[in-house]
Amino acid sequence: MLRMEPVSVTGMGCVCAAGTNLKDILRALEAGQRAPLPPSRFKSGHTRTYPVFEVPEHVRCEQKNGPDLSMTAHFALHAVKESLLQAGLAISDLDTSRVGVCIGTSVGASLNLLDFYRGTRAGQTPDLEPVHRYLNSNPAVALAHALGTTGPVQTVVNACSSGADAIGLAASWIAQGTCDIVIAGGADEMSEVTYNGFIRLMISDQSPCRPFDKSRSGLNLGEGAGIVILEASASREQRNAHELATILGYGTAADAHHLTAPHPQGVGLKLAISDALDAAGLAAADISFINAHGTGTANNDTVEAAVLNELFPQTPFISTKGMTGHTLGAAGAMEAIFTMAHLAAGGIPASAGFSEEDPALNASPARLHTHVHGKAAISQSLAFGGNNSVLVIGKGRAI
Amino acid sequence: MRMAVEGMGIVSAVGNGPQDLAQAARHILREESQTIAFSKIDTSDLVRRASSRALRRVDHFTRMALLAAYSALEDAGLDAAELEHTGIVLATGYGPVKLTFDFLDSIIDFGPEMASPQAFAHSVHNIPAATIALMMSLRGPCFSICQLDTAVAAATLTAQTWLAEKRVTRVLLGAVDEHTALLETNARRIAENLPAESSGGRRRLVPGEGAVFFCLHADPDHARHGFIESAPLSKTCLDAPIFFSGSASPAQRNTLPPIHDFSPLYGNMPIGMAFDAAVALLAVQGRLGPVMDACPAVHCLSRNRFGMTGSILVTSGEYA
Amino acid sequence: MDIKKQLKQTLINELNLEDLVPDDIDDGAPLFGDGLGLDSLDAVEIVVLVQRLYGVEIKDMDEGRRAFQSINALAEFITERRS
């Protein structure tokens, strides 16, 4: 793995249950007040309820006035607008082959057309509108089309690490001179199909999730999007744009162990951490905090805690999924953005949902707001299928 | 950066292997009709590489991908056990469709409380690539890209990006799509609405299925078949033939460079460009002779409904 | 068909254990790990199958662990819950 030159982040945008823009979300993370509820947009059909973290209704209502795209694509566009505003870029600046789009998603690329399929099964010929919407809404393609970019376009479907992977790949596009600007991140909407799927896998919690807690019993789903603008130094300097953060390194590795359970010794995660640090030219001691994957499932948190104990025994860590839910394809991107913001602010909030240490884990996330010092942090994601992805994030350098 | 093609694996309606593909491609170049049955492809050969117990939960979509991946390695003279620093990139147009709808079936038939977790887990789009990693014990990067007609072009760029930064020394770059009756019905329904210039537009073909894998290496000395790279059409090899299954006007089709449509041999498939690339590798090696002379380079294009065009350049060892 | 044979046939069909017939599965042998060699994904599928076929719910994997010790244990669990 070659050493990578830091890649600038000049804009960020985010939307999730905790807020419709990054500033509000960060404030909510700090306050730690959460109220996940049963899903409001579909009848769950279950006798028990499983809380989810839904994006505020008014953001969803905006979709009706916009182009006929999926909610996932709509969330992505919403976050893109915020990130472009912060970066000082207009859509007219993007109409070039030097601008790329790289987005991670799960639901956003899935043929989860349940109502359409019900109609087909009942012998009807349902209207093709949902099919056309699906074909028009592949997230990276839909964004590139809406923004008029003509550079590389990629929709990564690596389950829970998609958002991190999209940012990692986009950083390489910048580092290798393939693009001058990349709009990168992840997006996913709440889906009745995935909601049912996770419940049937018996990894959903009937209460608000409790990452790393002794009594944790599963995840809560969430929805939203996280988008960053990555920019080559020449482009950034020419525009006199502010560098908010940097991508210092990215590592990704497969456990090759089991399709739905992580490797018990975290083999893939350790490889990914090692590659990411190598690319960044840093050591574990340089990492000031970690935004863990921390879903709240028995398996994930056990494996992550073991690896953190081994490689980062003194480093504070949190999970933010206690405030956002598990947003699948969006998660890795949103959490990278939170990491950037917390690094810049020099502090991490308490890890929401945690109150009692699990003696089997021998590790606790931050219980209170914690000051952090240092120029680098890690955001990591462990995916279904055994994918492990790690981003090393740096502070923005003074121009 | 051009990537050396060490090996290729083909799983297709015209047969599983480069020879079958070459023969079918020659028929097309001679404008001879051939009857190709786009039915479920036979992957029983997979049991030579993996036990039926190991394959028990592996669905048809993944089996096609696995068979193509193993075949690519064998074509390269490699064993999975000896691979190091190897990544996997898998491109798909729609993902594992049958399992997606199997899960929906179980919700409709049994209700959400008794739907099948196994069907759900296996319908997650990165599971096929993860299965390849698992069965071959590959711990490198493992990406899945689901992007309709531009998936293959995107995946090629990812493989190239990884090799250029020495994240890996080898990449298994593959593409797979499967046929289902539901896709067939709806493809027919929407065919009228597709622009003729897009990869699906001119083709009123039955949806096909199949898988292609390339074993790619950073070192040019490993090029058994030639080279592949992500390269925009306008920049290079202006007179190289183009392999493209979308519509071109008669004027375009009569001008140099020649444009060839090989989609009759693989059907209506978003990842058709991967088959075009495989045929292109045969072309640059002169294996489509005598009907097509060896050429130093071929462009493969795929265009989506928005007019976005993905482009791959295939070149021979002699091409500088 | 008695419940144990029915369970064995169900596992063979639904978990794609094509290489087996019911007589290959020992009533007292472990279903997970050694023995039949099933894993956590099979376990959650069995939970759904038991509910579909017998109307018996397994609330969580602690309950599941006890029920899935063997075909004997599973048959006993189902019979108890049904009565």
mmCIF file of all heavy atoms in Angstrom, chain A residues 26-45:
data_model
loop_
_atom_site.group_PDB
_atom_site.id
_atom_site.type_symbol
_atom_site.label_atom_id
_atom_site.label_comp_id
_atom_site.label_asym_id
_atom_site.label_seq_id
_atom_site.Cartn_x
_atom_site.Cartn_y
_atom_site.Cartn_z
ATOM 1 N N LEU A 26 -24.792 17.697 14.912
ATOM 2 C CA LEU A 26 -23.698 17.719 15.898
ATOM 3 C C LEU A 26 -24.210 18.189 17.256
ATOM 4 O O LEU A 26 -23.808 17.658 18.303
ATOM 5 C CB LEU A 26 -22.568 18.625 15.404
ATOM 6 C CG LEU A 26 -21.805 18.116 14.179
ATOM 7 C CD1 LEU A 26 -20.845 19.187 13.645
ATOM 8 C CD2 LEU A 26 -21.017 16.846 14.503
ATOM 9 N N ARG A 27 -25.111 19.172 17.212
ATOM 10 C CA ARG A 27 -25.690 19.669 18.463
ATOM 11 C C ARG A 27 -26.489 18.546 19.135
ATOM 12 O O ARG A 27 -26.412 18.333 20.340
ATOM 13 C CB ARG A 27 -26.612 20.864 18.163
ATOM 14 C CG ARG A 27 -26.762 21.822 19.340
ATOM 15 C CD ARG A 27 -27.605 23.039 19.016
ATOM 16 N NE ARG A 27 -27.028 23.889 18.011
ATOM 17 C CZ ARG A 27 -27.689 24.367 16.958
ATOM 18 N NH1 ARG A 27 -28.959 24.065 16.759
ATOM 19 N NH2 ARG A 27 -27.093 25.143 16.094
ATOM 20 N N ALA A 28 -27.236 17.808 18.340
ATOM 21 C CA ALA A 28 -28.043 16.702 18.874
ATOM 22 C C ALA A 28 -27.159 15.600 19.451
ATOM 23 O O ALA A 28 -27.455 15.034 20.523
ATOM 24 C CB ALA A 28 -28.947 16.127 17.783
ATOM 25 N N LEU A 29 -26.047 15.310 18.763
ATOM 26 C CA LEU A 29 -25.118 14.276 19.269
ATOM 27 C C LEU A 29 -24.585 14.689 20.639
ATOM 28 O O LEU A 29 -24.438 13.874 21.539
ATOM 29 C CB LEU A 29 -23.944 14.073 18.298
ATOM 30 C CG LEU A 29 -24.227 13.481 16.912
ATOM 31 C CD1 LEU A 29 -22.936 13.287 16.133
ATOM 32 C CD2 LEU A 29 -24.926 12.144 17.027
ATOM 33 N N GLU A 30 -24.293 15.976 20.771
ATOM 34 C CA GLU A 30 -23.755 16.482 22.032
ATOM 35 C C GLU A 30 -24.800 16.384 23.139
ATOM 36 O O GLU A 30 -24.494 16.020 24.264
ATOM 37 C CB GLU A 30 -23.309 17.938 21.820
ATOM 38 C CG GLU A 30 -22.116 18.388 22.631
ATOM 39 C CD GLU A 30 -20.921 17.452 22.576
ATOM 40 O OE1 GLU A 30 -20.372 17.232 21.480
ATOM 41 O OE2 GLU A 30 -20.536 16.944 23.649
ATOM 42 N N ALA A 31 -26.041 16.705 22.788
ATOM 43 C CA ALA A 31 -27.105 16.692 23.795
ATOM 44 C C ALA A 31 -27.499 15.260 24.172
ATOM 45 O O ALA A 31 -27.943 15.002 25.289
ATOM 46 C CB ALA A 31 -28.328 17.454 23.276
ATOM 47 N N GLY A 32 -27.337 14.336 23.220
ATOM 48 C CA GLY A 32 -27.589 12.926 23.518
ATOM 49 C C GLY A 32 -29.039 12.562 23.773
ATOM 50 O O GLY A 32 -29.330 11.540 24.382
ATOM 51 N N GLN A 33 -29.983 13.405 23.311
ATOM 52 C CA GLN A 33 -31.403 13.066 23.504
ATOM 53 C C GLN A 33 -31.902 12.340 22.265
ATOM 54 O O GLN A 33 -31.727 12.840 21.168
ATOM 55 C CB GLN A 33 -32.244 14.365 23.660
ATOM 56 C CG GLN A 33 -31.779 15.287 24.754
ATOM 57 C CD GLN A 33 -31.920 14.624 26.107
ATOM 58 O OE1 GLN A 33 -32.928 14.008 26.400
ATOM 59 N NE2 GLN A 33 -30.887 14.739 26.919
ATOM 60 N N ARG A 34 -32.498 11.194 22.461
ATOM 61 C CA ARG A 34 -32.935 10.439 21.290
ATOM 62 C C ARG A 34 -34.334 9.887 21.506
ATOM 63 O O ARG A 34 -34.719 9.616 22.644
ATOM 64 C CB ARG A 34 -31.973 9.306 21.003
ATOM 65 C CG ARG A 34 -31.868 8.320 22.162
ATOM 66 C CD ARG A 34 -30.694 7.408 21.997
ATOM 67 N NE ARG A 34 -30.735 6.317 22.981
ATOM 68 C CZ ARG A 34 -30.301 5.082 22.722
ATOM 69 N NH1 ARG A 34 -29.797 4.793 21.537
ATOM 70 N NH2 ARG A 34 -30.365 4.152 23.651
ATOM 71 N N ALA A 35 -35.047 9.723 20.417
ATOM 72 C CA ALA A 35 -36.420 9.209 20.526
ATOM 73 C C ALA A 35 -36.765 8.364 19.307
ATOM 74 O O ALA A 35 -37.633 8.736 18.523
ATOM 75 C CB ALA A 35 -37.406 10.360 20.676
ATOM 76 N N PRO A 36 -36.096 7.228 19.151
ATOM 77 C CA PRO A 36 -36.478 6.386 18.013
ATOM 78 C C PRO A 36 -37.876 5.827 18.245
ATOM 79 O O PRO A 36 -38.276 5.587 19.389
ATOM 80 C CB PRO A 36 -35.428 5.274 18.030
ATOM 81 C CG PRO A 36 -34.944 5.208 19.439
ATOM 82 C CD PRO A 36 -35.050 6.595 19.994
ATOM 83 N N LEU A 37 -38.607 5.656 17.179
ATOM 84 C CA LEU A 37 -40.013 5.235 17.272
ATOM 85 C C LEU A 37 -40.268 4.090 16.304
ATOM 86 O O LEU A 37 -39.465 3.868 15.397
ATOM 87 C CB LEU A 37 -40.910 6.416 16.898
ATOM 88 C CG LEU A 37 -40.889 7.602 17.861
ATOM 89 C CD1 LEU A 37 -41.590 8.793 17.218
ATOM 90 C CD2 LEU A 37 -41.544 7.226 19.176
ATOM 91 N N PRO A 38 -41.395 3.403 16.452
ATOM 92 C CA PRO A 38 -41.739 2.407 15.426
ATOM 93 C C PRO A 38 -41.845 3.088 14.065
ATOM 94 O O PRO A 38 -42.160 4.288 13.996
ATOM 95 C CB PRO A 38 -43.108 1.883 15.878
ATOM 96 C CG PRO A 38 -43.186 2.203 17.321
ATOM 97 C CD PRO A 38 -42.383 3.444 17.540
ATOM 98 N N PRO A 39 -41.615 2.371 12.988
ATOM 99 C CA PRO A 39 -41.655 3.015 11.660
ATOM 100 C C PRO A 39 -43.018 3.638 11.397
ATOM 101 O O PRO A 39 -44.048 3.069 11.746
ATOM 102 C CB PRO A 39 -41.378 1.865 10.689
ATOM 103 C CG PRO A 39 -41.498 0.617 11.467
ATOM 104 C CD PRO A 39 -41.328 0.936 12.904
ATOM 105 N N SER A 40 -42.983 4.830 10.784
ATOM 106 C CA SER A 40 -44.246 5.554 10.581
ATOM 107 C C SER A 40 -44.797 5.377 9.174
ATOM 108 O O SER A 40 -45.956 5.649 8.921
ATOM 109 C CB SER A 40 -44.030 7.046 10.859
ATOM 110 O OG SER A 40 -43.165 7.582 9.871
ATOM 111 N N ARG A 41 -43.973 4.931 8.253
ATOM 112 C CA ARG A 41 -44.409 4.947 6.849
ATOM 113 C C ARG A 41 -44.850 3.604 6.321
ATOM 114 O O ARG A 41 -45.238 3.498 5.166
ATOM 115 C CB ARG A 41 -43.315 5.536 5.957
ATOM 116 C CG ARG A 41 -43.504 7.020 5.809
ATOM 117 C CD ARG A 41 -42.266 7.729 5.356
ATOM 118 N NE ARG A 41 -41.839 8.638 6.395
ATOM 119 C CZ ARG A 41 -40.736 8.460 7.117
ATOM 120 N NH1 ARG A 41 -39.949 7.447 6.900
ATOM 121 N NH2 ARG A 41 -40.421 9.326 8.056
ATOM 122 N N PHE A 42 -44.744 2.582 7.133
ATOM 123 C CA PHE A 42 -45.315 1.308 6.711
ATOM 124 C C PHE A 42 -45.805 0.597 7.961
ATOM 125 O O PHE A 42 -45.308 0.826 9.064
ATOM 126 C CB PHE A 42 -44.306 0.452 5.942
ATOM 127 C CG PHE A 42 -42.953 0.303 6.605
ATOM 128 C CD1 PHE A 42 -42.727 -0.657 7.588
ATOM 129 C CD2 PHE A 42 -41.903 1.130 6.236
ATOM 130 C CE1 PHE A 42 -41.485 -0.785 8.194
ATOM 131 C CE2 PHE A 42 -40.648 0.998 6.831
ATOM 132 C CZ PHE A 42 -40.441 0.052 7.820
ATOM 133 N N LYS A 43 -46.777 -0.265 7.741
ATOM 134 C CA LYS A 43 -47.252 -1.072 8.871
ATOM 135 C C LYS A 43 -46.252 -2.195 9.011
ATOM 136 O O LYS A 43 -45.983 -2.907 8.064
ATOM 137 C CB LYS A 43 -48.631 -1.668 8.547
ATOM 138 C CG LYS A 43 -49.771 -0.692 8.579
ATOM 139 C CD LYS A 43 -51.092 -1.478 8.619
ATOM 140 C CE LYS A 43 -52.285 -0.607 8.393
ATOM 141 N NZ LYS A 43 -52.272 0.199 7.168
ATOM 142 N N SER A 44 -45.685 -2.343 10.189
ATOM 143 C CA SER A 44 -44.606 -3.314 10.272
ATOM 144 C C SER A 44 -45.108 -4.749 10.165
ATOM 145 O O SER A 44 -44.383 -5.624 9.741
ATOM 146 C CB SER A 44 -43.833 -3.147 11.581
ATOM 147 O OG SER A 44 -44.511 -3.788 12.638
ATOM 148 N N GLY A 45 -46.361 -4.986 10.538
ATOM 149 C CA GLY A 45 -46.882 -6.359 10.434
ATOM 150 C C GLY A 45 -46.347 -7.274 11.515
ATOM 151 O O GLY A 45 -46.531 -8.484 11.462
#
